[in-house]
Amino acid sequence: MFKFQDLKIREKLILSFLVVSFIPILVLGAVTIIHFRNFALNSSAKEIYNELSFAKFKIMEMTNEAVNIANKLMIDQRLKEILLYRYKSPLEAYLKYSQYKDIENYKTLYANSIYRIRIYSENPTILENGVFYKATKKIKEKDWYKLAVNLNGFIIWDLVRQDEDIYSDYYFSLIRLLRDVYNERFGVLVINLNKLEMKSILNHTSYDTLLVNSDGLVIFSNKEDFIGKTFDIDLQRILSDKGYTYDLNNKKYLVFGVYLPLTGYNKDFYLVSMVPMEIIMREPQRMQRFALTMVFIAFAGSMFFTGIFSRSVSRRIGILNKAVDKISHGNWDLDIPLQGGDEIGRLSENVKMMAKNIKRLNELLMKQKDMKFKVLTNQLNPHFLFNTLETIHMMAVCNEQKEIADMVLKLGKILRKTIESKGTPIKLESEIELVKSYLEIQKYRLGRLNYDIEILTDISEIYVLPFLIQPIVENSIIHGLENKKDGGFIKIKIFKEDERLIISVEDNGIGMSKEKIESLLSNSDGESSKIGMRNTLERIKLFYGEEYGINIESSEGNGTRVDIILPYPPRREMGDVL
């Protein structure tokens, strides 16, 4: 049965990558592709709408100029007179026309917008001259003519075929019945917009662009085949930001449009752009290929670096595993060839430190066994010792030997604590009492010893290893004060400094050289007083950690200061400590 924990580290890393990285990359790739596709479509749509908006602006400029002309001609009294006057001869009409230049001026002034201005009159005596035309029966039957008459002065826009021209053609035109304020009619105005200008405007768009009315009739287009045709275009859907799909002659188009409101009765017109789907999808497909390429590169790169990383991690863990296996077989002096500040590098350092500690612990265990053997060989019955000391104490009291009695009592306390000690932390206050008893005995022995104990922090709940201070005090007496001719002084100071508990033992003895300090800590010659100092150091490091221990400051002739450095508060875990 497959179990994830049975896989090798490298296999786990690769599998984890597939789960944690590959799936998100695929999701991210899909989202990116969709985003790029939509971005490209939106960009194309935005570009098309910008083009349509520009075309709309230009066409509205043209139609507004035509409206201005129509409004001016509507109130032109001279024009009214010309159109209503009954001419007796063509010459009279010619002379009358020659005095009226306004329409020619309009055509010249608005040449870019206006192709031709025509006025159809029911006056049978009028002379046709390219501006004024008789409203023949054929003209009157035109739909646009009838609508203009019925609307009685309202502007309409329509596609007008001008058969009067040599080459008849369709023109997008303004149509209006001309009448005065008294409702007297004097003609039907038709202003043909400039086809070349309109074509130029629509040619600035990138695709087939149509000007259609509300019925879908193509009024004008940059593709002339479309003019005059009717398309079943949904004029509401084309106004959406994304347009809509439209089929024409088995070819798909994406249709966009803008609303083109014109002044007049039939004001609803639309500028429509028809974009072949294969063209508008060109950029999204290119973006999609680009996104797929990026996803592939990201996946391939991730797989490559995951392979390198997993190989490096598994190789380093393999080296560490072999080292731990050697340590388990008793090889504690090996060197692990791993470097780095990551977890594996730090674990390697910890394993090396653990091997050194195991070696040191093993050496201490061997020393302990040797010491226990010596103690068992030479030990006396503790009850016999206590009874003997009690007898000596009573005899001294009976003989009024107070100093002897006091010294024997203090020795009994020290002996009792020594025998009862199990190596577990005791209250620091109890340790201080033990040191006081020891110093009082040494005062009787040396006769010229003074001491002072200064406590600068609360120690009521502080626990330390037993016999932590006494070996240091004993070392100060043996190496510093016994050979001093003048009176000796020991100062014990307990204080807290930077989250550490400092127990300082300072004497005014003869001091030590650097070589002697190193010898004292190394115990190279096996001297008993040095064993106590060295054992104290090793007990501190094993119980509290490598960063704690003993610091010695001394120089020959200037006394010695020994600082016992512990964490604050010291740990209180129970357990045998050497």
Side-chain angles (χ1 to χ4, degrees):
M1 183 178 178
F2 172 78
K3 290 185 178 180
F4 183 76
Q5 57 266 31
D6 294 335
L7 296 175
K8 294 182 179 179
I9 289 291
R10 187 176 185 185
E11 294 170 347
K12 287 181 179 178
L13 287 172
I14 294 175
L15 184 60
S16 299
F17 165 77
L18 290 175
V19 174
V20 177
S21 299
F22 180 62
I23 294 175
I25 285 176
L26 285 181
V27 173
L28 179 62
V31 171
T32 303
I33 289 171
I34 294 172
H35 172 74
F36 278 167
R37 181 179 181 276
N38 291 338
F39 175 77
L41 285 173
N42 291 337
S43 296
S44 298
K46 186 176 181 180
E47 180 182 354
I48 292 168
Y49 276 117
N50 287 338
E51 291 177 351
L52 289 176
S53 297
F54 176 77
K56 170 185 174 180
F57 173 76
K58 299 301 289 185
I59 290 175
M60 288 190 72
E61 272 191 344
M62 293 178 65
T63 57
N64 287 338
E65 288 175 356
V67 170
N68 289 336
I69 295 172
N71 290 335
K72 290 177 180 179
L73 295 179
M74 187 78 165
I75 60 175
D76 191 335
Q77 291 298 319
R78 292 180 62 200
L79 176 63
K80 176 184 173 183
E81 291 174 5
I82 291 173
L83 292 173
L84 294 179
Y85 184 81
R86 299 291 175 167
Y87 299 100
K88 299 179 178 58
S89 66
L91 178 61
E92 183 181 11
Y94 174 78
L95 293 175
K96 192 81 170 176
Y97 292 173
S98 62
Q99 296 174 4
Y100 182 76
K101 302 293 184 182
D102 288 3
I103 291 179
E104 292 300 324
N105 291 339
Y106 291 147
K107 289 170 60 177
T108 303
L109 183 62
Y110 300 108
N112 289 334
S113 301
I114 306 304
Y115 170 67
R116 182 165 289 184
I117 299 174
R118 309 169 193 261
I119 299 176
Y120 296 91
S121 174
E122 294 183 1
N123 184 354
T125 65
I126 202 167
L127 177 66
E128 294 185 343
N129 65 344
V131 174
F132 303 128
Y133 293 89
K134 292 177 181 179
T136 62
K137 182 180 180 181
K138 183 178 179 181
I139 292 296
K140 290 180 180 180
E141 290 176 351
K142 300 284 187 182
D143 292 336
W144 53 265
Y145 190 94
K146 292 177 182 179
L147 183 60
V149 172
N150 290 335
L151 291 177
N152 197 30
F154 281 98
I155 293 174
I156 59 173
W157 299 89
D158 205 349
L159 184 64
V160 177
R161 181 181 177 87
Q162 299 293 174
D163 295 322
E164 301 88 348
D165 297 343
I166 297 176
Y167 302 102
S168 61
D169 204 351
Y170 287 97
Y171 294 91
F172 182 45
S173 305
L174 178 150
I175 307 163
R176 186 180 198 180
L177 175 70
L178 297 176
R179 63 177 180 81
D180 61 14
V181 294
Y182 302 106
N183 207 24
E184 185 179 7
R185 302 175 181 180
F186 54 92
V188 174
L189 172 67
V190 177
I191 301 178
N192 305 136
L193 298 185
N194 191 335
K195 286 183 66 173
L196 295 177
E197 181 65 18
M198 290 189 69
K199 189 171 185 179
S200 173
I201 292 171
L202 297 187
N203 281 339
H204 279 87
T205 60
S206 304
Y207 309 101
D208 295 341
T209 304
L210 324 173
L211 175 62
V212 300
N213 64 11
S214 57
D215 297 323
L217 174 67
V218 179
I219 303 298
F220 196 79
S221 173
N222 55 0
K223 188 173 183 179
E224 294 190 5
D225 294 345
F226 288 164
I227 298 175
K229 293 183 178 179
T230 300
F231 291 100
D232 185 21
I233 297 174
D234 190 332
L235 297 175
Q236 296 303 316
R237 293 177 66 187
I238 65 172
L239 300 178
S240 68
D241 293 340
K242 297 179 181 179
Y244 84 103
T245 305
Y246 179 74
D247 291 328
L248 179 64
N249 298 328
N250 296 322
K251 188 175 182 181
K252 287 188 176 296
Y253 291 84
L254 197 60
V255 182
F256 302 90
V258 294
Y259 179 55
L260 181 66
L262 300 182
T263 302
Y265 173 75
N266 56 340
K267 63 180 181 178
D268 296 330
F269 290 85
Y270 300 86
L271 272 175
V272 179
S273 191
M274 301 179 63
V275 188
M277 287 296 293
E278 67 267 16
I279 294 178
I280 201 169
M281 289 302 296
R282 217 176 268 164
E283 184 64 16
Q285 288 171 354
R286 188 186 70 81
M287 298 293 282
Q288 182 173 317
R289 288 193 296 271
F290 172 77
L292 286 172
T293 303
M294 290 297 100
V295 169
F296 175 76
I297 292 173
F299 177 71
S302 299
M303 283 296 294
F304 175 74
F305 288 112
T306 299
I308 294 176
F309 172 73
S310 62
R311 181 179 178 184
S312 172
V313 171
S314 61
R315 181 183 64 82
R316 297 176 76 202
I317 292 178
I319 294 173
L320 188 59
N321 183 52
K322 290 179 181 178
V324 173
D325 184 64
K326 289 180 181 179
I327 291 173
S328 68
H329 289 83
N331 185 1
W332 300 319
D333 294 320
L334 80 165
D335 181 42
I336 304 176
L338 288 177
Q339 295 179 348
D342 61 354
E343 287 80 357
I344 297 176
R346 291 196 294 270
L347 181 60
S348 170
E349 293 299 320
N350 291 335
V351 168
K352 286 191 284 186
M353 184 62 65
M354 179 187 70
K356 291 179 182 178
N357 288 338
I358 292 174
K359 180 181 178 183
R360 185 184 304 154
L361 181 61
N362 186 66
E363 292 173 351
L364 289 173
L365 285 171
M366 296 302 293
K367 290 180 182 179
Q368 182 193 38
K369 289 180 181 179
D370 184 59
M371 290 173 66
K372 284 184 178 179
F373 176 76
K374 291 179 180 179
V375 170
L376 288 172
T377 302
N378 299 299
Q379 85 172 12
L380 296 171
N381 189 319
H383 295 287
F384 171 73
L385 289 176
F386 290 140
N387 292 335
T388 301
L389 287 174
E390 183 61 26
T391 301
I392 295 173
H393 176 259
M394 292 305 299
M395 290 176 64
V397 170
C398 292
N399 291 304
E400 297 184 355
Q401 297 292 326
K402 294 183 179 180
E403 292 182 351
I404 295 175
D406 185 53
M407 187 166 60
V408 170
L409 184 63
K410 287 178 171 52
L411 179 60
K413 288 182 179 179
I414 295 174
L415 182 60
R416 181 179 295 277
K417 288 185 179 294
T418 303
I419 294 173
E420 291 177 351
S421 174
K422 297 180 180 179
T424 58
I426 62 172
K427 278 196 170 187
L428 181 54
E429 293 173 336
S430 178
E431 179 73 4
I432 295 296
E433 289 300 317
L434 175 71
V435 172
K436 284 182 179 179
S437 297
Y438 176 77
L439 284 169
E440 288 296 328
I441 292 173
Q442 290 295 348
K443 282 182 69 175
Y444 289 123
R445 186 174 74 86
L446 298 177
R448 48 187 171 77
L449 175 66
N450 292 306
Y451 68 89
D452 177 50
I453 299 177
E454 184 180 7
I455 301 173
L456 300 178
T457 187
D458 181 18
I459 64 169
S460 58
E461 295 299 325
I462 298 297
Y463 286 74
V464 297
L465 292 175
F467 295 98
L468 197 66
I469 306 174
Q470 186 273 333
I472 309 300
V473 173
E474 180 182 358
N475 185 77
S476 294
I477 293 172
I478 294 173
H479 294 284
L481 300 178
E482 279 190 348
N483 297 324
K484 184 177 176 63
K485 295 179 181 181
D486 302 330
F489 182 79
I490 292 178
K491 181 177 179 64
I492 300 174
K493 186 176 179 182
I494 302 173
F495 59 95
K496 177 186 172 187
E497 182 181 272
D498 296 332
E499 302 303 322
R500 294 188 175 193
L501 181 68
I502 309 296
I503 303 173
S504 176
V505 179
E506 188 174 359
D507 64 64
N508 63 345
I510 61 175
M512 294 180 287
S513 63
K514 289 184 178 180
E515 292 77 12
K516 192 168 184 179
I517 293 174
E518 292 175 359
S519 172
L520 190 67
L521 293 176
S522 65
N523 187 29
S524 58
D525 55 7
E527 190 178 331
S528 60
S529 63
K530 297 179 181 178
I531 291 176
M533 177 71 79
R534 176 62 185 171
N535 282 350
T536 301
L537 175 62
E538 291 182 348
R539 288 167 68 219
I540 292 172
K541 289 188 175 296
L542 282 173
F543 194 78
Y544 297 111
E546 285 293 326
E547 63 269 34
Y548 304 103
I550 293 174
N551 182 54
I552 301 177
E553 295 180 4
S554 181
S555 61
E556 293 181 351
N558 294 315
T560 302
R561 172 176 169 172
V562 179
D563 288 343
I564 301 172
I565 304 171
L566 305 177
Y568 185 90
R571 55 182 288 195
R572 291 181 54 181
E573 288 88 344
M574 302 300 292
D576 291 335
V577 181
L578 298 176

